[in-house]
Amino acid sequence: MRDTYFKTRRPFRRREHRYDIGSPVGFWNHYDDNHFLAQLYEIGNKEQGAYYEYHKEHAIRTGKCTEEEFYGHVREIVADHIEAIRKESSFSKKHAQNRINLKCLRIFRDYLISISPSGYRDPVDITITRYDSEIASLKKKLAEKEEELDKLKKYETEYKVRITKGHLNAFIDIVHQLPELRLPQKDGIRLLSASTESVWVKIICKYFQHGDEEINMETIRSRFTSNKESPSSKYRPIREKEKIFKILPVED
């Protein structure tokens, strides 16, 4: 067929290349878009790039169009067919196959977007379709985030535990002792275990206050170290005179 951009097979003959499109008994007029996509579904997602390049090179070599014109033509075909499938009833007999084809088309559309020629602008209807899809996706993600936020809200509190002014370091020393507590008659198993020291820092800053003041995270972070044998230069140990409590197990 002379007025198509795509490389077609000759009627009643084998394909010269597996990417050639068309029916073995003849190429139907004005159905080149359907044949192009039918062959796209057949070759699968991994060869989409090679398939596109094959037909693009044919169109340019034979003088049928420029690279930009070919790109725009294929983008419109893909957009039109995505929209057509989306409008079909989910109770259609073709629903299962439509879902497979729609997934293939969306992957191909994303590939086309990734190779978009400089300065190319989608037609308004394609742009609206894409934006509608992106908006729907963002709305879904927002709903999921709001659901997660609602679950977290029940653990939030507007009040904090107040540490008596001037005794912040005494409290931090108590926290230092917590990971060292071991269960009696359990072969020395720790009562508590944190994967990182920053957990304690965040707990203190989030749920406690020093007198009427918020607790500075950097100040608390300087009181913790993951390597007590060789701490960093920013580490500030608790002075002995501020260690006024000691947690001990109950004697049997």
Side-chain angles (χ1 to χ4, degrees), residues 22-33:
S23 168
V25 295
F27 193 82
W28 299 339
N29 192 18
H30 303 307
Y31 281 81
D32 58 331
D33 58 341

Side-chain angles (χ1 to χ4, degrees), residues 18-19 40-52 104 107-108 111:
R18 61 190 295 262
Y19 291 164
L40 177 73
Y41 302 146
E42 182 70 24
I43 65 173
N45 298 330
K46 292 184 178 180
E47 296 183 60
Q48 288 182 347
Y51 180 67
Y52 173 82
C104 179
I107 293 173
F108 188 46
Y111 164 74

Side-chain angles (χ1 to χ4, degrees), residues 148-162:
E148 292 177 8
L149 186 59
D150 287 339
K151 291 179 180 179
L152 292 174
K153 280 182 179 179
K154 63 182 179 181
Y155 299 107
E156 294 293 330
T157 174
E158 60 180 302
Y159 303 105
K160 292 188 175 184
V161 180
R162 180 179 297 180

Side-chain angles (χ1 to χ4, degrees), residues 25 36 73 91 110 113 123 128 163 169 180 194 207 216 226:
V25 295
F36 177 75
H73 181 63
F91 298 99
D110 292 343
I113 291 173
I128 292 174
I163 301 169
N169 287 338
E180 304 302 324
Y207 294 107
N216 182 277
S226 57

Side-chain angles (χ1 to χ4, degrees), residues 44-60:
N45 298 330
K46 292 184 178 180
E47 296 183 60
Q48 288 182 347
Y51 180 67
Y52 173 82
E53 290 296 325
Y54 176 79
H55 286 282
K56 183 191 75 173
E57 290 172 6
H58 165 77
I60 296 173

